[in-house]
mmCIF file of all heavy atoms in Angstrom:
data_model
loop_
_atom_site.group_PDB
_atom_site.id
_atom_site.type_symbol
_atom_site.label_atom_id
_atom_site.label_comp_id
_atom_site.label_asym_id
_atom_site.label_seq_id
_atom_site.Cartn_x
_atom_site.Cartn_y
_atom_site.Cartn_z
ATOM 1 N N SER A 26 -71.600 -50.642 -39.963
ATOM 2 C CA SER A 26 -71.913 -50.289 -38.539
ATOM 3 C C SER A 26 -70.861 -50.785 -37.559
ATOM 4 O O SER A 26 -70.744 -50.260 -36.465
ATOM 5 C CB SER A 26 -73.283 -50.846 -38.155
ATOM 6 O OG SER A 26 -73.266 -52.287 -38.239
ATOM 7 N N HIS A 27 -70.081 -51.822 -37.953
ATOM 8 C CA HIS A 27 -69.156 -52.424 -36.962
ATOM 9 C C HIS A 27 -67.708 -52.580 -37.416
ATOM 10 O O HIS A 27 -66.920 -53.186 -36.704
ATOM 11 C CB HIS A 27 -69.685 -53.802 -36.540
ATOM 12 C CG HIS A 27 -70.820 -53.732 -35.591
ATOM 13 N ND1 HIS A 27 -72.084 -53.292 -35.945
ATOM 14 C CD2 HIS A 27 -70.928 -54.019 -34.257
ATOM 15 C CE1 HIS A 27 -72.916 -53.299 -34.885
ATOM 16 N NE2 HIS A 27 -72.216 -53.748 -33.862
ATOM 17 N N ASP A 28 -67.375 -52.111 -38.612
ATOM 18 C CA ASP A 28 -65.967 -52.305 -39.041
ATOM 19 C C ASP A 28 -64.994 -51.499 -38.186
ATOM 20 O O ASP A 28 -63.850 -51.917 -37.953
ATOM 21 C CB ASP A 28 -65.799 -52.040 -40.555
ATOM 22 C CG ASP A 28 -65.853 -50.549 -40.897
ATOM 23 O OD1 ASP A 28 -64.844 -49.837 -40.680
ATOM 24 O OD2 ASP A 28 -66.902 -50.111 -41.401
ATOM 25 N N ASN A 29 -65.441 -50.348 -37.724
ATOM 26 C CA ASN A 29 -64.574 -49.572 -36.849
ATOM 27 C C ASN A 29 -64.334 -50.244 -35.490
ATOM 28 O O ASN A 29 -63.248 -50.228 -34.948
ATOM 29 C CB ASN A 29 -65.153 -48.150 -36.624
ATOM 30 C CG ASN A 29 -64.196 -47.275 -35.880
ATOM 31 O OD1 ASN A 29 -63.058 -47.058 -36.255
ATOM 32 N ND2 ASN A 29 -64.642 -46.743 -34.741
ATOM 33 N N LEU A 30 -65.382 -50.896 -34.996
ATOM 34 C CA LEU A 30 -65.236 -51.648 -33.726
ATOM 35 C C LEU A 30 -64.352 -52.867 -33.963
ATOM 36 O O LEU A 30 -63.587 -53.229 -33.090
ATOM 37 C CB LEU A 30 -66.654 -52.053 -33.236
ATOM 38 C CG LEU A 30 -66.767 -52.547 -31.792
ATOM 39 C CD1 LEU A 30 -66.149 -51.541 -30.857
ATOM 40 C CD2 LEU A 30 -68.182 -52.827 -31.424
ATOM 41 N N ALA A 31 -64.459 -53.461 -35.142
ATOM 42 C CA ALA A 31 -63.544 -54.570 -35.464
ATOM 43 C C ALA A 31 -62.098 -54.104 -35.460
ATOM 44 O O ALA A 31 -61.170 -54.830 -35.046
ATOM 45 C CB ALA A 31 -63.908 -55.218 -36.795
ATOM 46 N N ALA A 32 -61.873 -52.885 -35.976
ATOM 47 C CA ALA A 32 -60.507 -52.290 -35.960
ATOM 48 C C ALA A 32 -60.037 -52.070 -34.530
ATOM 49 O O ALA A 32 -58.841 -52.225 -34.225
ATOM 50 C CB ALA A 32 -60.501 -50.990 -36.737
ATOM 51 N N GLN A 33 -60.978 -51.734 -33.607
ATOM 52 C CA GLN A 33 -60.622 -51.559 -32.212
ATOM 53 C C GLN A 33 -60.201 -52.896 -31.572
ATOM 54 O O GLN A 33 -59.381 -52.906 -30.674
ATOM 55 C CB GLN A 33 -61.761 -50.909 -31.466
ATOM 56 C CG GLN A 33 -62.062 -49.492 -31.882
ATOM 57 C CD GLN A 33 -63.288 -48.884 -31.182
ATOM 58 O OE1 GLN A 33 -63.546 -49.239 -30.023
ATOM 59 N NE2 GLN A 33 -63.998 -48.059 -31.858
ATOM 60 N N VAL A 34 -60.798 -53.969 -32.065
ATOM 61 C CA VAL A 34 -60.359 -55.294 -31.559
ATOM 62 C C VAL A 34 -58.934 -55.578 -31.976
ATOM 63 O O VAL A 34 -58.112 -56.053 -31.180
ATOM 64 C CB VAL A 34 -61.281 -56.403 -32.100
ATOM 65 C CG1 VAL A 34 -60.788 -57.782 -31.685
ATOM 66 C CG2 VAL A 34 -62.728 -56.206 -31.624
ATOM 67 N N VAL A 35 -58.623 -55.233 -33.231
ATOM 68 C CA VAL A 35 -57.234 -55.433 -33.756
ATOM 69 C C VAL A 35 -56.288 -54.564 -32.910
ATOM 70 O O VAL A 35 -55.201 -55.007 -32.477
ATOM 71 C CB VAL A 35 -57.148 -55.026 -35.190
ATOM 72 C CG1 VAL A 35 -55.729 -55.074 -35.686
ATOM 73 C CG2 VAL A 35 -58.018 -56.025 -36.047
ATOM 74 N N SER A 36 -56.613 -53.266 -32.748
ATOM 75 C CA SER A 36 -55.702 -52.368 -32.069
ATOM 76 C C SER A 36 -55.557 -52.728 -30.561
ATOM 77 O O SER A 36 -54.520 -52.550 -29.972
ATOM 78 C CB SER A 36 -56.200 -50.897 -32.148
ATOM 79 O OG SER A 36 -57.414 -50.689 -31.481
ATOM 80 N N TYR A 37 -56.651 -53.295 -29.997
ATOM 81 C CA TYR A 37 -56.593 -53.769 -28.585
ATOM 82 C C TYR A 37 -55.504 -54.801 -28.430
ATOM 83 O O TYR A 37 -54.688 -54.745 -27.491
ATOM 84 C CB TYR A 37 -57.939 -54.346 -28.166
ATOM 85 C CG TYR A 37 -57.886 -55.201 -26.916
ATOM 86 C CD1 TYR A 37 -57.890 -54.633 -25.688
ATOM 87 C CD2 TYR A 37 -57.770 -56.593 -26.976
ATOM 88 C CE1 TYR A 37 -57.849 -55.379 -24.521
ATOM 89 C CE2 TYR A 37 -57.712 -57.379 -25.903
ATOM 90 C CZ TYR A 37 -57.744 -56.823 -24.642
ATOM 91 O OH TYR A 37 -57.629 -57.559 -23.510
ATOM 92 N N GLU A 38 -55.453 -55.770 -29.376
ATOM 93 C CA GLU A 38 -54.438 -56.823 -29.255
ATOM 94 C C GLU A 38 -53.058 -56.258 -29.401
ATOM 95 O O GLU A 38 -52.115 -56.607 -28.645
ATOM 96 C CB GLU A 38 -54.672 -57.875 -30.385
ATOM 97 C CG GLU A 38 -56.003 -58.614 -30.266
ATOM 98 C CD GLU A 38 -56.062 -59.588 -29.098
ATOM 99 O OE1 GLU A 38 -54.959 -59.908 -28.565
ATOM 100 O OE2 GLU A 38 -57.132 -60.064 -28.694
ATOM 101 N N LEU A 39 -52.837 -55.361 -30.370
ATOM 102 C CA LEU A 39 -51.537 -54.768 -30.620
ATOM 103 C C LEU A 39 -51.102 -53.936 -29.460
ATOM 104 O O LEU A 39 -49.909 -53.991 -28.999
ATOM 105 C CB LEU A 39 -51.574 -53.948 -31.909
ATOM 106 C CG LEU A 39 -51.802 -54.722 -33.202
ATOM 107 C CD1 LEU A 39 -52.053 -53.736 -34.392
ATOM 108 C CD2 LEU A 39 -50.678 -55.644 -33.535
ATOM 109 N N LEU A 40 -51.989 -53.070 -28.955
ATOM 110 C CA LEU A 40 -51.634 -52.172 -27.855
ATOM 111 C C LEU A 40 -51.387 -52.950 -26.558
ATOM 112 O O LEU A 40 -50.443 -52.602 -25.825
ATOM 113 C CB LEU A 40 -52.744 -51.150 -27.645
ATOM 114 C CG LEU A 40 -52.861 -50.022 -28.641
ATOM 115 C CD1 LEU A 40 -54.141 -49.251 -28.501
ATOM 116 C CD2 LEU A 40 -51.660 -49.061 -28.550
ATOM 117 N N THR A 41 -52.215 -53.913 -26.262
ATOM 118 C CA THR A 41 -52.018 -54.741 -25.080
ATOM 119 C C THR A 41 -50.643 -55.365 -25.084
ATOM 120 O O THR A 41 -49.909 -55.361 -24.053
ATOM 121 C CB THR A 41 -53.109 -55.800 -24.944
ATOM 122 O OG1 THR A 41 -54.374 -55.196 -24.855
ATOM 123 C CG2 THR A 41 -52.901 -56.680 -23.689
ATOM 124 N N ASN A 42 -50.232 -55.942 -26.213
ATOM 125 C CA ASN A 42 -48.924 -56.591 -26.289
ATOM 126 C C ASN A 42 -47.826 -55.572 -26.101
ATOM 127 O O ASN A 42 -46.815 -55.812 -25.422
ATOM 128 C CB ASN A 42 -48.741 -57.265 -27.655
ATOM 129 C CG ASN A 42 -49.596 -58.537 -27.749
ATOM 130 O OD1 ASN A 42 -49.970 -59.121 -26.767
ATOM 131 N ND2 ASN A 42 -49.992 -58.900 -28.988
ATOM 132 N N TYR A 43 -48.001 -54.386 -26.703
ATOM 133 C CA TYR A 43 -46.994 -53.317 -26.601
ATOM 134 C C TYR A 43 -46.835 -52.838 -25.180
ATOM 135 O O TYR A 43 -45.729 -52.746 -24.668
ATOM 136 C CB TYR A 43 -47.371 -52.161 -27.525
ATOM 137 C CG TYR A 43 -46.380 -51.037 -27.566
ATOM 138 C CD1 TYR A 43 -45.391 -51.030 -28.501
ATOM 139 C CD2 TYR A 43 -46.428 -50.004 -26.652
ATOM 140 C CE1 TYR A 43 -44.416 -49.979 -28.578
ATOM 141 C CE2 TYR A 43 -45.507 -48.945 -26.686
ATOM 142 C CZ TYR A 43 -44.505 -48.959 -27.647
ATOM 143 O OH TYR A 43 -43.577 -47.935 -27.669
ATOM 144 N N TYR A 44 -47.956 -52.570 -24.538
ATOM 145 C CA TYR A 44 -47.908 -52.023 -23.152
ATOM 146 C C TYR A 44 -47.377 -53.104 -22.176
ATOM 147 O O TYR A 44 -46.680 -52.833 -21.215
ATOM 148 C CB TYR A 44 -49.305 -51.568 -22.690
ATOM 149 C CG TYR A 44 -49.812 -50.348 -23.411
ATOM 150 C CD1 TYR A 44 -51.103 -50.141 -23.656
ATOM 151 C CD2 TYR A 44 -48.916 -49.367 -23.830
ATOM 152 C CE1 TYR A 44 -51.608 -48.988 -24.286
ATOM 153 C CE2 TYR A 44 -49.370 -48.218 -24.457
ATOM 154 C CZ TYR A 44 -50.710 -48.047 -24.686
ATOM 155 O OH TYR A 44 -51.188 -46.888 -25.316
ATOM 156 N N GLN A 45 -47.733 -54.382 -22.433
ATOM 157 C CA GLN A 45 -47.233 -55.444 -21.578
ATOM 158 C C GLN A 45 -45.730 -55.580 -21.647
ATOM 159 O O GLN A 45 -45.074 -55.796 -20.650
ATOM 160 C CB GLN A 45 -47.942 -56.809 -21.929
ATOM 161 C CG GLN A 45 -49.401 -56.888 -21.564
ATOM 162 C CD GLN A 45 -49.631 -56.971 -20.059
ATOM 163 O OE1 GLN A 45 -48.733 -57.013 -19.271
ATOM 164 N NE2 GLN A 45 -50.925 -57.134 -19.692
ATOM 165 N N ARG A 46 -45.183 -55.446 -22.853
ATOM 166 C CA ARG A 46 -43.754 -55.532 -23.037
ATOM 167 C C ARG A 46 -43.085 -54.293 -22.369
ATOM 168 O O ARG A 46 -42.050 -54.457 -21.742
ATOM 169 C CB ARG A 46 -43.373 -55.562 -24.506
ATOM 170 C CG ARG A 46 -43.670 -56.867 -25.229
ATOM 171 C CD ARG A 46 -42.980 -56.954 -26.555
ATOM 172 N NE ARG A 46 -43.386 -55.874 -27.457
ATOM 173 C CZ ARG A 46 -44.394 -55.987 -28.326
ATOM 174 N NH1 ARG A 46 -45.118 -57.095 -28.351
ATOM 175 N NH2 ARG A 46 -44.705 -54.942 -29.112
ATOM 176 N N GLU A 47 -43.731 -53.138 -22.464
ATOM 177 C CA GLU A 47 -43.201 -51.946 -21.839
ATOM 178 C C GLU A 47 -43.193 -52.115 -20.315
ATOM 179 O O GLU A 47 -42.241 -51.743 -19.619
ATOM 180 C CB GLU A 47 -44.041 -50.751 -22.237
ATOM 181 C CG GLU A 47 -43.469 -49.412 -21.827
ATOM 182 C CD GLU A 47 -42.275 -49.002 -22.614
ATOM 183 O OE1 GLU A 47 -42.009 -49.622 -23.686
ATOM 184 O OE2 GLU A 47 -41.539 -48.099 -22.192
ATOM 185 N N LEU A 48 -44.289 -52.701 -19.789
ATOM 186 C CA LEU A 48 -44.419 -52.918 -18.340
ATOM 187 C C LEU A 48 -43.352 -53.898 -17.854
ATOM 188 O O LEU A 48 -42.738 -53.679 -16.794
ATOM 189 C CB LEU A 48 -45.815 -53.442 -18.035
ATOM 190 C CG LEU A 48 -46.260 -53.379 -16.590
ATOM 191 C CD1 LEU A 48 -46.277 -51.971 -16.068
ATOM 192 C CD2 LEU A 48 -47.689 -53.972 -16.476
ATOM 193 N N LEU A 49 -43.121 -54.949 -18.620
ATOM 194 C CA LEU A 49 -42.123 -55.918 -18.277
ATOM 195 C C LEU A 49 -40.728 -55.301 -18.217
ATOM 196 O O LEU A 49 -39.947 -55.535 -17.304
ATOM 197 C CB LEU A 49 -42.125 -57.080 -19.259
ATOM 198 C CG LEU A 49 -41.121 -58.218 -19.013
ATOM 199 C CD1 LEU A 49 -41.343 -58.873 -17.665
ATOM 200 C CD2 LEU A 49 -41.176 -59.258 -20.149
ATOM 201 N N TYR A 50 -40.446 -54.456 -19.246
ATOM 202 C CA TYR A 50 -39.154 -53.750 -19.318
ATOM 203 C C TYR A 50 -38.979 -52.850 -18.068
ATOM 204 O O TYR A 50 -37.895 -52.836 -17.481
ATOM 205 C CB TYR A 50 -39.070 -52.932 -20.593
ATOM 206 C CG TYR A 50 -37.938 -51.929 -20.576
ATOM 207 C CD1 TYR A 50 -36.632 -52.315 -20.767
ATOM 208 C CD2 TYR A 50 -38.165 -50.566 -20.384
ATOM 209 C CE1 TYR A 50 -35.584 -51.400 -20.724
ATOM 210 C CE2 TYR A 50 -37.158 -49.652 -20.361
ATOM 211 C CZ TYR A 50 -35.852 -50.083 -20.501
ATOM 212 O OH TYR A 50 -34.830 -49.155 -20.521
ATOM 213 N N LEU A 51 -40.024 -52.092 -17.747
ATOM 214 C CA LEU A 51 -39.924 -51.153 -16.627
ATOM 215 C C LEU A 51 -39.760 -51.903 -15.273
ATOM 216 O O LEU A 51 -38.935 -51.464 -14.422
ATOM 217 C CB LEU A 51 -41.173 -50.290 -16.548
ATOM 218 C CG LEU A 51 -41.319 -49.235 -17.643
ATOM 219 C CD1 LEU A 51 -42.734 -48.602 -17.578
ATOM 220 C CD2 LEU A 51 -40.253 -48.169 -17.522
ATOM 221 N N ARG A 52 -40.383 -53.019 -15.113
ATOM 222 C CA ARG A 52 -40.234 -53.787 -13.893
ATOM 223 C C ARG A 52 -38.867 -54.384 -13.784
ATOM 224 O O ARG A 52 -38.288 -54.404 -12.696
ATOM 225 C CB ARG A 52 -41.334 -54.901 -13.815
ATOM 226 C CG ARG A 52 -42.714 -54.340 -13.516
ATOM 227 C CD ARG A 52 -43.774 -55.368 -13.642
ATOM 228 N NE ARG A 52 -45.075 -54.858 -13.172
ATOM 229 C CZ ARG A 52 -46.275 -55.419 -13.455
ATOM 230 N NH1 ARG A 52 -46.292 -56.541 -14.153
ATOM 231 N NH2 ARG A 52 -47.378 -54.888 -12.989
ATOM 232 N N LYS A 53 -38.301 -54.853 -14.881
ATOM 233 C CA LYS A 53 -36.952 -55.373 -14.871
ATOM 234 C C LYS A 53 -35.951 -54.284 -14.602
ATOM 235 O O LYS A 53 -34.956 -54.433 -13.862
ATOM 236 C CB LYS A 53 -36.619 -56.029 -16.214
ATOM 237 C CG LYS A 53 -37.300 -57.370 -16.418
ATOM 238 C CD LYS A 53 -36.832 -58.045 -17.702
ATOM 239 C CE LYS A 53 -37.465 -59.392 -17.880
ATOM 240 N NZ LYS A 53 -37.070 -60.103 -19.153
ATOM 241 N N LEU A 54 -36.236 -53.094 -15.170
ATOM 242 C CA LEU A 54 -35.383 -51.917 -14.928
ATOM 243 C C LEU A 54 -35.430 -51.516 -13.453
ATOM 244 O O LEU A 54 -34.362 -51.193 -12.858
ATOM 245 C CB LEU A 54 -35.822 -50.741 -15.767
ATOM 246 C CG LEU A 54 -35.010 -49.461 -15.715
ATOM 247 C CD1 LEU A 54 -33.539 -49.735 -16.134
ATOM 248 C CD2 LEU A 54 -35.590 -48.404 -16.638
ATOM 249 N N LYS A 55 -36.609 -51.549 -12.873
ATOM 250 C CA LYS A 55 -36.761 -51.235 -11.467
ATOM 251 C C LYS A 55 -35.923 -52.220 -10.597
ATOM 252 O O LYS A 55 -35.247 -51.800 -9.659
ATOM 253 C CB LYS A 55 -38.218 -51.261 -11.076
ATOM 254 C CG LYS A 55 -38.485 -50.968 -9.592
ATOM 255 C CD LYS A 55 -39.935 -51.142 -9.268
ATOM 256 C CE LYS A 55 -40.187 -50.968 -7.765
ATOM 257 N NZ LYS A 55 -41.580 -51.240 -7.399
ATOM 258 N N GLU A 56 -36.008 -53.503 -10.946
ATOM 259 C CA GLU A 56 -35.298 -54.518 -10.208
ATOM 260 C C GLU A 56 -33.756 -54.321 -10.308
ATOM 261 O O GLU A 56 -33.034 -54.442 -9.360
ATOM 262 C CB GLU A 56 -35.669 -55.916 -10.660
ATOM 263 C CG GLU A 56 -37.082 -56.286 -10.307
ATOM 264 C CD GLU A 56 -37.509 -57.632 -10.937
ATOM 265 O OE1 GLU A 56 -36.628 -58.268 -11.568
ATOM 266 O OE2 GLU A 56 -38.661 -58.005 -10.778
ATOM 267 N N SER A 57 -33.322 -53.992 -11.555
ATOM 268 C CA SER A 57 -31.894 -53.874 -11.761
ATOM 269 C C SER A 57 -31.342 -52.614 -11.038
ATOM 270 O O SER A 57 -30.236 -52.631 -10.530
ATOM 271 C CB SER A 57 -31.566 -53.751 -13.283
ATOM 272 O OG SER A 57 -32.117 -52.546 -13.833
ATOM 273 N N ILE A 58 -32.164 -51.575 -11.008
ATOM 274 C CA ILE A 58 -31.746 -50.341 -10.304
ATOM 275 C C ILE A 58 -31.639 -50.625 -8.811
ATOM 276 O O ILE A 58 -30.674 -50.167 -8.091
ATOM 277 C CB ILE A 58 -32.743 -49.197 -10.538
ATOM 278 C CG1 ILE A 58 -32.614 -48.733 -11.987
ATOM 279 C CG2 ILE A 58 -32.509 -48.043 -9.582
ATOM 280 C CD1 ILE A 58 -33.653 -47.674 -12.344
ATOM 281 N N ALA A 59 -32.593 -51.412 -8.288
ATOM 282 C CA ALA A 59 -32.561 -51.765 -6.856
ATOM 283 C C ALA A 59 -31.317 -52.581 -6.527
ATOM 284 O O ALA A 59 -30.688 -52.380 -5.496
ATOM 285 C CB ALA A 59 -33.837 -52.527 -6.499
ATOM 286 N N LEU A 60 -30.962 -53.489 -7.452
ATOM 287 C CA LEU A 60 -29.800 -54.337 -7.225
ATOM 288 C C LEU A 60 -28.507 -53.588 -7.330
ATOM 289 O O LEU A 60 -27.516 -53.857 -6.585
ATOM 290 C CB LEU A 60 -29.771 -55.523 -8.201
ATOM 291 C CG LEU A 60 -30.865 -56.617 -8.017
ATOM 292 C CD1 LEU A 60 -30.844 -57.566 -9.188
ATOM 293 C CD2 LEU A 60 -30.652 -57.303 -6.709
ATOM 294 N N GLU A 61 -28.476 -52.586 -8.239
ATOM 295 C CA GLU A 61 -27.229 -51.869 -8.470
ATOM 296 C C GLU A 61 -27.099 -50.585 -7.675
ATOM 297 O O GLU A 61 -26.176 -49.813 -7.819
ATOM 298 C CB GLU A 61 -27.114 -51.518 -9.984
ATOM 299 C CG GLU A 61 -27.028 -52.768 -10.839
ATOM 300 C CD GLU A 61 -27.023 -52.404 -12.335
ATOM 301 O OE1 GLU A 61 -27.006 -51.215 -12.626
ATOM 302 O OE2 GLU A 61 -27.054 -53.339 -13.142
ATOM 303 N N GLU A 62 -28.110 -50.336 -6.813
ATOM 304 C CA GLU A 62 -28.139 -49.048 -6.077
ATOM 305 C C GLU A 62 -26.885 -48.769 -5.326
ATOM 306 O O GLU A 62 -26.363 -47.639 -5.346
ATOM 307 C CB GLU A 62 -29.367 -49.019 -5.184
ATOM 308 C CG GLU A 62 -29.690 -47.597 -4.737
ATOM 309 C CD GLU A 62 -31.039 -47.546 -4.049
ATOM 310 O OE1 GLU A 62 -31.600 -48.611 -3.728
ATOM 311 O OE2 GLU A 62 -31.525 -46.438 -3.863
ATOM 312 N N PRO A 63 -26.273 -49.758 -4.618
ATOM 313 C CA PRO A 63 -25.052 -49.440 -3.861
ATOM 314 C C PRO A 63 -23.922 -48.978 -4.779
ATOM 315 O O PRO A 63 -23.125 -48.116 -4.415
ATOM 316 C CB PRO A 63 -24.666 -50.774 -3.215
ATOM 317 C CG PRO A 63 -26.007 -51.482 -3.095
ATOM 318 C CD PRO A 63 -26.741 -51.072 -4.332
ATOM 319 N N LYS A 64 -23.835 -49.510 -6.042
ATOM 320 C CA LYS A 64 -22.808 -49.128 -6.950
ATOM 321 C C LYS A 64 -22.986 -47.685 -7.469
ATOM 322 O O LYS A 64 -22.081 -47.026 -7.833
ATOM 323 C CB LYS A 64 -22.787 -50.057 -8.150
ATOM 324 C CG LYS A 64 -22.474 -51.508 -7.786
ATOM 325 C CD LYS A 64 -22.488 -52.406 -9.041
ATOM 326 C CE LYS A 64 -22.256 -53.831 -8.713
ATOM 327 N NZ LYS A 64 -22.284 -54.701 -9.922
ATOM 328 N N ALA A 65 -24.239 -47.274 -7.470
ATOM 329 C CA ALA A 65 -24.553 -45.974 -8.026
ATOM 330 C C ALA A 65 -23.858 -44.844 -7.231
ATOM 331 O O ALA A 65 -23.590 -43.773 -7.824
ATOM 332 C CB ALA A 65 -26.068 -45.705 -8.048
ATOM 333 N N TYR A 66 -23.573 -45.118 -5.978
ATOM 334 C CA TYR A 66 -22.974 -44.064 -5.173
ATOM 335 C C TYR A 66 -21.556 -43.708 -5.626
ATOM 336 O O TYR A 66 -21.036 -42.633 -5.288
ATOM 337 C CB TYR A 66 -22.964 -44.474 -3.682
ATOM 338 C CG TYR A 66 -24.332 -44.469 -3.052
ATOM 339 C CD1 TYR A 66 -24.975 -45.673 -2.781
ATOM 340 C CD2 TYR A 66 -24.947 -43.252 -2.766
ATOM 341 C CE1 TYR A 66 -26.261 -45.671 -2.231
ATOM 342 C CE2 TYR A 66 -26.231 -43.265 -2.197
ATOM 343 C CZ TYR A 66 -26.861 -44.445 -1.936
ATOM 344 O OH TYR A 66 -28.093 -44.434 -1.383
ATOM 345 N N SER A 67 -20.938 -44.636 -6.367
ATOM 346 C CA SER A 67 -19.619 -44.351 -6.852
ATOM 347 C C SER A 67 -19.621 -43.238 -7.931
ATOM 348 O O SER A 67 -18.610 -42.661 -8.258
ATOM 349 C CB SER A 67 -18.977 -45.594 -7.488
ATOM 350 O OG SER A 67 -19.778 -46.040 -8.564
ATOM 351 N N PHE A 68 -20.810 -42.944 -8.466
ATOM 352 C CA PHE A 68 -20.939 -41.897 -9.471
ATOM 353 C C PHE A 68 -21.553 -40.606 -8.911
ATOM 354 O O PHE A 68 -21.890 -39.695 -9.625
ATOM 355 C CB PHE A 68 -21.819 -42.363 -10.627
ATOM 356 C CG PHE A 68 -21.286 -43.570 -11.322
ATOM 357 C CD1 PHE A 68 -21.965 -44.748 -11.291
ATOM 358 C CD2 PHE A 68 -20.117 -43.485 -12.071
ATOM 359 C CE1 PHE A 68 -21.471 -45.865 -11.976
ATOM 360 C CE2 PHE A 68 -19.598 -44.551 -12.746
ATOM 361 C CZ PHE A 68 -20.286 -45.780 -12.720
ATOM 362 N N ASN A 69 -21.670 -40.552 -7.572
ATOM 363 C CA ASN A 69 -22.422 -39.443 -7.070
ATOM 364 C C ASN A 69 -21.757 -38.106 -7.198
ATOM 365 O O ASN A 69 -22.348 -37.062 -6.955
ATOM 366 C CB ASN A 69 -22.799 -39.672 -5.555
ATOM 367 C CG ASN A 69 -21.570 -39.783 -4.703
ATOM 368 O OD1 ASN A 69 -20.427 -39.710 -5.196
ATOM 369 N ND2 ASN A 69 -21.773 -39.961 -3.400
ATOM 370 N N LYS A 70 -20.469 -38.071 -7.621
ATOM 371 C CA LYS A 70 -19.840 -36.809 -7.850
ATOM 372 C C LYS A 70 -19.743 -36.457 -9.379
ATOM 373 O O LYS A 70 -19.166 -35.447 -9.720
ATOM 374 C CB LYS A 70 -18.396 -36.854 -7.243
ATOM 375 C CG LYS A 70 -18.417 -36.944 -5.721
ATOM 376 C CD LYS A 70 -16.990 -36.881 -5.185
ATOM 377 C CE LYS A 70 -17.029 -36.980 -3.661
ATOM 378 N NZ LYS A 70 -15.645 -36.962 -3.115
ATOM 379 N N VAL A 71 -20.292 -37.328 -10.203
ATOM 380 C CA VAL A 71 -20.325 -37.077 -11.647
ATOM 381 C C VAL A 71 -21.731 -36.567 -11.998
ATOM 382 O O VAL A 71 -22.673 -37.321 -11.915
ATOM 383 C CB VAL A 71 -19.964 -38.312 -12.434
ATOM 384 C CG1 VAL A 71 -20.045 -38.048 -13.938
ATOM 385 C CG2 VAL A 71 -18.643 -38.859 -12.045
ATOM 386 N N SER A 72 -21.805 -35.359 -12.369
ATOM 387 C CA SER A 72 -23.167 -34.785 -12.737
ATOM 388 C C SER A 72 -23.140 -34.051 -14.056
ATOM 389 O O SER A 72 -22.065 -33.474 -14.428
ATOM 390 C CB SER A 72 -23.636 -33.854 -11.602
ATOM 391 O OG SER A 72 -22.730 -32.759 -11.470
#
């Protein structure tokens, strides 16, 4: 009656860690883009 729910507990831990790492990466990426934004204009003619 509960082994599938126990599997959801396992997947919850794995997914939470995965999504948290993804969120951390995206936030760092957002910060780096904001910092490097002035440099990006040097490429504005390369498309």
Side-chain angles (χ1 to χ4, degrees):
S26 63
H27 284 69
D28 73 78
N29 186 56
L30 194 53
Q33 292 177 33
V34 175
V35 173
S36 67
Y37 164 82
E38 297 289 345
L39 295 171
L40 286 168
T41 298
N42 289 335
Y43 183 91
Y44 291 148
Q45 289 288 2
R46 287 195 300 270
E47 190 72 14
L48 195 59
L49 180 62
Y50 166 76
L51 289 171
R52 284 172 174 165
K53 287 184 176 179
L54 182 59
K55 179 185 175 185
E56 292 174 3
S57 66
I58 290 175
L60 290 173
E61 296 175 6
E62 196 168 14
K64 298 179 182 179
Y66 288 106
S67 61
F68 298 115
N69 62 358
K70 293 184 180 180
V71 179
S72 60

